[in-house]
Amino acid sequence: MGAAEAVDYTDYTGDLSGQVRAVAPDGVPAVVHLAGDGAQLAGLLTADGRLASTIGFGPDQHPAATSIMASPKQGTLDRLTTG
């Protein structure tokens, strides 16, 4: 799906941030938030990165976040790509 790197979700050490920073020390441009702590994931973004959350983490929690649900509208999807 276009990912250059992946982290091992079966690594239960609890050091997701460390795993991500090992492959992307400057942060990642995009995060798809399906579970876990949205704030922790947002902290892994580059300065202009985007986060799409299916569990309600949105711009009221972090300016780079967009909350998307089961039937996203075009305007929501446009915000993910254009800011």
Side-chain angles (χ1 to χ4, degrees):
M1 296 188 67
E5 301 284 344
V7 295
D8 182 2
Y9 72 92
T10 63
D11 176 358
Y12 298 108
T13 63
D15 190 19
L16 175 65
S17 295
Q19 288 185 65
V20 171
R21 292 294 180 192
V23 295
D26 296 326
V28 295
V31 169
V32 177
H33 176 219
L34 303 173
D37 182 359
Q40 178 189 22
L41 297 174
L44 298 171
L45 293 169
T46 58
D48 60 347
R50 300 272 181 231
L51 184 147
S53 175
T54 63
I55 59 174
F57 189 81
D60 50 329
Q61 287 95 7
H62 192 279
T66 299
S67 181
I68 57 173
M69 295 300 164
S71 52
K73 297 181 180 169
Q74 188 63 48
T76 302
L77 295 174
D78 288 345
R79 286 197 317 272
L80 289 172
T81 58
T82 61

Coordinates of all heavy atoms in Angstrom, one line a residue:
M1 N 0.8 -1.2 0.0 CA 0.0 0.0 0.0 C 0.9 1.3 0.0 O 0.4 2.3 0.4 CB -0.9 0.0 1.2 CG -1.9 -1.2 1.1 SD -3.2 -1.1 2.4 CE -4.1 0.3 1.8
G2 N 2.1 1.1 -0.4 CA 3.0 2.3 -0.5 C 3.8 2.6 0.7 O 4.6 3.6 0.7
A3 N 3.8 1.8 1.7 CA 4.6 2.0 2.9 C 6.0 1.6 2.6 O 6.3 0.6 2.1 CB 4.1 1.2 4.1
A4 N 7.0 2.5 2.9 CA 8.4 2.2 2.7 C 8.9 1.4 3.9 O 9.8 0.6 3.7 CB 9.2 3.5 2.6
E5 N 8.4 1.5 5.1 CA 8.8 0.8 6.3 C 7.5 0.4 7.0 O 6.5 1.0 6.9 CB 9.7 1.7 7.2 CG 10.9 2.2 6.5 CD 12.0 1.1 6.4 OE1 11.9 0.1 7.1 OE2 12.9 1.3 5.7
A6 N 7.7 -0.6 7.9 CA 6.6 -1.0 8.8 C 7.2 -1.3 10.1 O 8.4 -1.7 10.3 CB 5.9 -2.2 8.2
V7 N 6.4 -1.1 11.2 CA 6.8 -1.5 12.5 C 6.1 -2.8 12.9 O 5.0 -3.1 12.4 CB 6.5 -0.4 13.6 CG1 7.4 0.8 13.3 CG2 5.1 -0.1 13.6
D8 N 6.7 -3.6 13.7 CA 6.2 -4.9 14.1 C 5.1 -4.8 15.2 O 5.4 -4.5 16.4 CB 7.4 -5.8 14.6 CG 6.9 -7.2 15.0 OD1 5.7 -7.5 14.8 OD2 7.8 -7.9 15.4
Y9 N 3.9 -4.8 14.8 CA 2.8 -4.7 15.7 C 2.7 -5.8 16.7 O 2.1 -5.7 17.8 CB 1.5 -4.5 15.0 CG 0.9 -5.8 14.4 CD1 0.1 -6.6 15.1 CD2 1.3 -6.1 13.1 CE1 -0.4 -7.8 14.5 CE2 0.8 -7.3 12.5 CZ 0.0 -8.1 13.3 OH -0.5 -9.3 12.7
T10 N 3.4 -6.9 16.5 CA 3.4 -8.0 17.4 C 4.5 -7.9 18.5 O 4.7 -8.7 19.4 CB 3.6 -9.4 16.7 OG1 4.9 -9.4 16.1 CG2 2.5 -9.6 15.7
D11 N 5.3 -6.8 18.4 CA 6.3 -6.5 19.4 C 5.6 -5.8 20.6 O 5.3 -4.6 20.5 CB 7.4 -5.6 18.8 CG 8.5 -5.2 19.8 OD1 8.4 -5.5 21.0 OD2 9.4 -4.4 19.4
Y12 N 5.4 -6.5 21.6 CA 4.6 -6.0 22.7 C 5.5 -5.3 23.8 O 5.1 -5.3 25.0 CB 3.8 -7.1 23.3 CG 2.8 -7.7 22.3 CD1 3.0 -8.9 21.8 CD2 1.7 -6.9 21.9 CE1 2.1 -9.4 20.9 CE2 0.8 -7.4 21.0 CZ 1.0 -8.7 20.5 OH 0.1 -9.1 19.6
T13 N 6.6 -4.8 23.4 CA 7.5 -4.1 24.4 C 6.9 -2.8 24.8 O 7.3 -2.2 25.8 CB 8.9 -3.8 23.8 OG1 8.8 -2.9 22.7 CG2 9.6 -5.1 23.4
G14 N 5.9 -2.3 24.1 CA 5.3 -1.0 24.4 C 6.1 0.2 23.9 O 5.7 1.3 24.2
D15 N 7.1 0.0 23.1 CA 7.9 1.1 22.6 C 7.6 1.4 21.1 O 8.5 1.3 20.3 CB 9.4 0.7 22.8 CG 10.3 2.0 22.5 OD1 9.8 3.1 22.5 OD2 11.5 1.7 22.2
L16 N 6.4 1.7 20.8 CA 6.0 2.0 19.4 C 6.8 3.2 19.0 O 7.3 3.3 17.8 CB 4.5 2.3 19.4 CG 4.0 2.7 18.0 CD1 4.2 1.7 16.9 CD2 2.5 3.2 18.1
S17 N 6.9 4.3 19.8 CA 7.6 5.5 19.4 C 9.0 5.2 19.0 O 9.6 5.6 18.0 CB 7.6 6.5 20.5 OG 6.2 6.9 20.7
G18 N 9.7 4.3 19.8 CA 11.1 3.9 19.5 C 11.2 3.2 18.2 O 12.1 3.4 17.5
Q19 N 10.3 2.3 18.0 CA 10.3 1.6 16.7 C 10.1 2.5 15.5 O 10.8 2.4 14.5 CB 9.2 0.5 16.6 CG 9.3 -0.7 17.5 CD 8.2 -1.6 17.3 OE1 8.1 -2.2 16.2 NE2 7.4 -1.8 18.3
V20 N 9.2 3.4 15.6 CA 9.0 4.4 14.5 C 10.2 5.3 14.3 O 10.7 5.5 13.2 CB 7.7 5.2 14.7 CG1 7.5 6.3 13.7 CG2 6.5 4.3 14.7
R21 N 10.7 5.8 15.4 CA 11.8 6.8 15.3 C 13.1 6.1 14.8 O 13.9 6.7 14.2 CB 12.1 7.4 16.7 CG 11.0 8.3 17.1 CD 10.9 9.6 16.3 NE 9.9 10.4 16.8 CZ 9.4 11.5 16.1 NH1 9.9 11.7 14.9 NH2 8.5 12.2 16.6
A22 N 13.2 4.7 15.0 CA 14.3 4.0 14.5 C 14.4 4.0 12.9 O 15.4 4.0 12.3 CB 14.3 2.6 15.0
V23 N 13.2 4.0 12.3 CA 13.1 4.0 10.9 C 12.8 5.4 10.3 O 13.1 5.6 9.1 CB 12.1 3.0 10.3 CG1 12.6 1.6 10.6 CG2 10.7 3.2 10.8
A24 N 12.3 6.3 11.1 CA 11.9 7.6 10.7 C 12.3 8.6 11.8 O 11.4 9.1 12.4 CB 10.5 7.7 10.3
P25 N 13.6 8.9 11.9 CA 13.9 9.8 13.1 C 13.3 11.2 13.0 O 13.1 11.8 14.1 CB 15.5 9.9 12.9 CG 15.9 9.1 11.8 CD 14.7 8.5 11.2
D26 N 12.9 11.7 11.8 CA 12.3 13.0 11.7 C 10.8 12.9 11.7 O 10.1 14.0 11.5 CB 12.8 13.7 10.4 CG 14.3 13.9 10.4 OD1 14.8 14.2 11.5 OD2 14.9 13.8 9.4
G27 N 10.2 11.8 11.9 CA 8.8 11.6 12.0 C 8.3 11.0 10.7 O 9.0 10.8 9.7
V28 N 7.0 10.7 10.7 CA 6.3 10.2 9.5 C 5.3 11.1 8.9 O 4.7 12.0 9.6 CB 5.6 8.8 9.9 CG1 6.6 7.8 10.3 CG2 4.6 9.0 11.0
P29 N 5.1 11.1 7.6 CA 4.2 12.0 7.0 C 2.7 11.7 7.2 O 1.9 12.6 7.0 CB 4.6 12.0 5.5 CG 5.1 10.6 5.3 CD 5.8 10.3 6.6
A30 N 2.4 10.5 7.5 CA 1.0 10.1 7.6 C 0.8 8.9 8.6 O 1.7 8.0 8.7 CB 0.4 9.7 6.3
V31 N -0.3 9.0 9.3 CA -0.7 7.9 10.3 C -2.1 7.6 10.1 O -3.0 8.5 9.9 CB -0.5 8.3 11.7 CG1 -1.1 7.3 12.7 CG2 1.0 8.5 12.1
V32 N -2.4 6.3 10.0 CA -3.8 5.8 10.1 C -4.0 5.3 11.5 O -3.4 4.3 11.8 CB -4.1 4.7 9.0 CG1 -5.5 4.2 9.1 CG2 -3.9 5.3 7.6
H33 N -4.9 5.9 12.2 CA -5.1 5.6 13.6 C -6.4 4.7 13.7 O -7.5 5.1 13.6 CB -5.4 6.9 14.4 CG -5.7 6.7 15.8 ND1 -6.7 7.5 16.4 CD2 -5.3 5.9 16.8 CE1 -6.8 7.2 17.7 NE2 -5.9 6.2 17.9
L34 N -6.1 3.4 13.9 CA -7.2 2.4 14.1 C -7.4 1.9 15.5 O -8.4 1.3 15.8 CB -6.9 1.2 13.2 CG -6.7 1.5 11.7 CD1 -6.2 0.3 10.9 CD2 -7.9 2.1 11.1
A35 N -6.3 2.1 16.3 CA -6.4 1.7 17.7 C -5.3 2.4 18.5 O -4.4 2.9 17.9 CB -6.2 0.2 17.8
G36 N -5.4 2.4 19.8 CA -4.3 2.9 20.6 C -4.4 4.4 20.9 O -5.5 5.0 20.7
D37 N -3.3 5.0 21.3 CA -3.3 6.4 21.8 C -3.1 7.3 20.6 O -2.0 7.4 20.1 CB -2.2 6.5 22.8 CG -2.1 7.9 23.4 OD1 -2.9 8.8 23.1 OD2 -1.2 8.1 24.3
G38 N -4.1 8.1 20.2 CA -4.0 9.0 19.1 C -2.9 10.1 19.4 O -2.2 10.5 18.5
A39 N -2.8 10.6 20.6 CA -1.9 11.6 20.9 C -0.4 11.1 20.7 O 0.4 11.8 20.2 CB -2.1 12.1 22.3
Q40 N -0.2 9.9 21.1 CA 1.1 9.3 20.9 C 1.5 9.2 19.4 O 2.6 9.5 19.0 CB 1.2 7.9 21.6 CG 2.6 7.2 21.3 CD 2.6 5.8 21.7 OE1 1.6 5.1 21.8 NE2 3.8 5.3 22.0
L41 N 0.5 8.8 18.7 CA 0.7 8.6 17.2 C 0.9 10.0 16.6 O 1.8 10.2 15.7 CB -0.5 7.9 16.6 CG -0.6 6.4 17.0 CD1 -1.9 5.9 16.4 CD2 0.6 5.6 16.7
A42 N 0.1 11.0 17.0 CA 0.3 12.3 16.5 C 1.7 12.9 16.8 O 2.2 13.6 16.0 CB -0.8 13.3 17.0
G43 N 2.2 12.5 17.9 CA 3.6 12.9 18.2 C 4.7 12.4 17.3 O 5.8 12.8 17.4
L44 N 4.3 11.4 16.5 CA 5.3 10.8 15.6 C 5.3 11.4 14.2 O 6.0 11.1 13.3 CB 5.0 9.3 15.5 CG 5.2 8.5 16.8 CD1 4.6 7.1 16.6 CD2 6.6 8.5 17.2
L45 N 4.4 12.4 14.0 CA 4.2 13.1 12.7 C 5.3 14.1 12.4 O 5.9 14.7 13.3 CB 2.9 13.8 12.6 CG 1.6 12.9 12.6 CD1 0.4 13.8 12.8 CD2 1.6 12.1 11.3
T46 N 5.7 14.3 11.1 CA 6.5 15.4 10.7 C 5.7 16.7 11.0 O 4.5 16.6 11.2 CB 6.9 15.3 9.3 OG1 5.7 15.2 8.5 CG2 7.7 14.0 9.0
A47 N 6.3 17.8 10.8 CA 5.7 19.1 11.0 C 4.4 19.3 10.2 O 3.4 19.9 10.6 CB 6.6 20.2 10.8
D48 N 4.4 18.7 8.9 CA 3.3 18.9 8.1 C 2.5 17.6 7.9 O 1.8 17.4 6.9 CB 3.7 19.5 6.7 CG 4.7 18.6 6.0 OD1 5.3 17.7 6.6 OD2 5.0 18.9 4.8
G49 N 2.7 16.6 8.8 CA 2.1 15.3 8.7 C 0.6 15.3 8.9 O 0.1 16.3 9.5
R50 N -0.1 14.3 8.6 CA -1.5 14.1 8.7 C -1.8 12.8 9.4 O -1.2 11.8 9.2 CB -2.2 14.1 7.4 CG -2.0 15.4 6.6 CD -3.0 16.4 6.9 NE -2.9 17.6 6.2 CZ -2.8 18.8 6.7 NH1 -2.9 18.9 8.0 NH2 -2.6 19.8 6.0
L51 N -2.9 12.9 10.2 CA -3.4 11.7 10.9 C -4.8 11.5 10.6 O -5.6 12.4 10.8 CB -3.1 11.8 12.4 CG -3.5 10.6 13.3 CD1 -2.6 10.6 14.5 CD2 -4.9 10.7 13.8
A52 N -5.2 10.3 10.1 CA -6.6 9.9 9.9 C -7.0 8.9 11.0 O -6.4 7.9 11.1 CB -6.8 9.3 8.5
S53 N -8.1 9.3 11.7 CA -8.5 8.4 12.8 C -9.9 7.9 12.6 O -10.8 8.6 12.3 CB -8.5 9.2 14.2 OG -9.0 8.4 15.2
T54 N -10.1 6.6 12.8 CA -11.4 6.0 12.7 C -12.1 5.8 14.0 O -13.2 5.4 14.1 CB -11.3 4.6 12.0 OG1 -10.5 3.7 12.9 CG2 -10.7 4.6 10.6
I55 N -11.4 6.3 15.1 CA -12.0 6.1 16.4 C -12.2 7.5 17.1 O -12.2 7.6 18.4 CB -11.2 5.2 17.3 CG1 -9.8 5.6 17.5 CG2 -11.2 3.8 16.7 CD1 -9.0 4.7 18.5
G56 N -12.4 8.5 16.4 CA -12.8 9.8 16.9 C -11.7 10.8 17.3 O -12.0 11.8 17.9
F57 N -10.5 10.5 17.1 CA -9.4 11.4 17.4 C -9.4 12.5 16.2 O -9.1 12.1 15.1 CB -8.1 10.7 17.5 CG -6.9 11.5 18.0 CD1 -6.8 11.7 19.3 CD2 -6.0 12.1 17.1 CE1 -5.7 12.5 19.8 CE2 -5.0 12.8 17.6 CZ -4.8 13.0 18.9
G58 N -9.7 13.7 16.6 CA -9.9 14.7 15.5 C -9.2 16.0 15.8 O -8.3 16.1 16.7
P59 N -9.5 17.0 15.1 CA -8.8 18.3 15.2 C -8.9 19.0 16.6 O -8.1 19.8 16.9 CB -9.4 19.2 14.1 CG -10.6 18.5 13.7 CD -10.5 17.1 14.0
D60 N -9.9 18.6 17.3 CA -10.0 19.2 18.7 C -9.0 18.6 19.6 O -8.7 19.2 20.6 CB -11.5 19.0 19.2 CG -12.0 17.6 19.1 OD1 -11.6 16.9 18.2 OD2 -12.8 17.2 20.0
Q61 N -8.4 17.4 19.2 CA -7.3 16.8 20.0 C -5.9 17.2 19.4 O -5.0 17.3 20.2 CB -7.4 15.3 20.1 CG -8.5 14.8 21.0 CD -9.8 14.6 20.2 OE1 -9.9 14.6 19.0 NE2 -10.9 14.3 21.0
H62 N -5.9 17.3 18.1 CA -4.6 17.6 17.5 C -4.9 18.3 16.1 O -5.7 17.7 15.3 CB -3.7 16.4 17.3 CG -2.3 16.6 16.9 ND1 -2.0 16.9 15.6 CD2 -1.2 16.7 17.6 CE1 -0.7 17.1 15.5 NE2 -0.2 17.0 16.8
P63 N -4.2 19.4 15.7 CA -4.6 20.0 14.5 C -4.3 19.2 13.2 O -4.9 19.5 12.2 CB -3.7 21.3 14.5 CG -2.7 21.1 15.6 CD -3.2 20.0 16.5
A64 N -3.5 18.2 13.3 CA -3.2 17.4 12.1 C -4.1 16.2 11.9 O -4.1 15.5 11.0 CB -1.7 16.9 12.1
A65 N -5.0 16.1 12.9 CA -5.9 14.9 12.9 C -7.2 15.2 12.2 O -7.8 16.3 12.3 CB -6.2 14.5 14.3
T66 N -7.7 14.2 11.5 CA -9.0 14.2 10.9 C -9.7 13.0 11.3 O -9.2 11.9 11.1 CB -8.9 14.3 9.3 OG1 -8.3 15.5 8.9 CG2 -10.3 14.3 8.7
S67 N -10.9 13.1 11.9 CA -11.7 12.0 12.3 C -12.5 11.5 11.1 O -13.3 12.3 10.5 CB -12.6 12.4 13.4 OG -13.4 11.2 13.8
I68 N -12.4 10.3 10.7 CA -13.1 9.7 9.6 C -13.9 8.5 10.1 O -13.5 7.8 11.0 CB -12.3 9.3 8.4 CG1 -11.2 8.3 8.8 CG2 -11.6 10.5 7.7 CD1 -10.4 7.7 7.7
M69 N -15.1 8.4 9.7 CA -16.0 7.3 10.1 C -16.4 6.4 8.9 O -15.8 6.6 7.9 CB -17.2 7.9 10.8 CG -16.9 8.7 12.1 SD -16.1 7.6 13.3 CE -15.4 8.7 14.4
A70 N -17.3 5.6 9.1 CA -17.7 4.5 8.1 C -18.0 5.1 6.7 O -17.7 4.4 5.8 CB -18.8 3.7 8.6
S71 N -18.6 6.2 6.6 CA -18.9 6.8 5.3 C -18.4 8.2 5.2 O -19.2 9.2 5.3 CB -20.4 6.7 5.0 OG -21.1 7.3 6.1
P72 N -17.1 8.4 5.0 CA -16.5 9.7 4.9 C -17.0 10.4 3.6 O -17.3 9.8 2.6 CB -15.0 9.5 4.8 CG -14.9 8.1 4.3 CD -16.1 7.3 4.8
K73 N -17.2 11.7 3.8 CA -17.6 12.6 2.7 C -16.4 13.1 1.9 O -15.3 13.1 2.5 CB -18.5 13.7 3.2 CG -19.7 13.2 3.8 CD -20.6 14.3 4.3 CE -21.8 13.7 5.0 NZ -22.6 14.6 5.7
Q74 N -16.6 13.6 0.7 CA -15.5 14.1 -0.1 C -14.7 15.2 0.6 O -13.5 15.3 0.6 CB -16.0 14.6 -1.4 CG -14.8 14.9 -2.4 CD -14.0 13.7 -2.7 OE1 -14.5 12.7 -3.1 NE2 -12.7 13.9 -2.6
G75 N -15.4 16.1 1.3 CA -14.7 17.2 2.0 C -13.8 16.7 3.1 O -12.7 17.2 3.3
T76 N -14.2 15.6 3.8 CA -13.3 15.0 4.8 C -12.1 14.5 4.2 O -10.9 14.7 4.6 CB -14.0 13.9 5.6 OG1 -15.2 14.5 6.2 CG2 -13.2 13.3 6.7
L77 N -12.2 13.7 3.1 CA -11.1 13.1 2.4 C -10.2 14.2 1.8 O -9.0 14.1 1.8 CB -11.6 12.2 1.3 CG -12.3 10.9 1.9 CD1 -12.9 10.1 0.7 CD2 -11.5 10.1 2.8
D78 N -10.8 15.3 1.3 CA -10.0 16.4 0.8 C -9.1 17.0 1.8 O -7.9 17.3 1.6 CB -10.9 17.5 0.1 CG -11.5 17.0 -1.2 OD1 -11.1 16.0 -1.8 OD2 -12.5 17.7 -1.6
R79 N -9.6 17.1 3.0 CA -8.8 17.7 4.1 C -7.6 16.9 4.5 O -6.5 17.3 4.9 CB -9.6 17.9 5.4 CG -10.6 19.1 5.3 CD -11.1 19.5 6.7 NE -11.5 18.5 7.6 CZ -12.7 17.9 7.6 NH1 -13.7 18.3 6.8 NH2 -13.0 17.0 8.5
L80 N -7.7 15.5 4.2 CA -6.5 14.7 4.5 C -5.4 14.9 3.5 O -4.2 14.8 3.9 CB -7.0 13.2 4.4 CG -7.9 12.7 5.5 CD1 -8.3 11.3 5.1 CD2 -7.1 12.6 6.8
T81 N -5.7 15.3 2.3 CA -4.7 15.5 1.3 C -4.2 16.9 1.1 O -3.1 17.1 0.6 CB -5.2 14.9 -0.1 OG1 -6.3 15.6 -0.5 CG2 -5.4 13.4 0.1
T82 N -5.1 17.9 1.4 CA -4.7 19.2 1.2 C -4.6 20.1 2.4 O -4.0 21.2 2.3 CB -5.8 19.9 0.3 OG1 -7.0 19.9 1.0 CG2 -5.9 19.2 -1.0
G83 N -5.0 19.6 3.5 CA -4.8 20.3 4.8 C -5.9 21.4 4.8 O -6.1 22.2 5.5

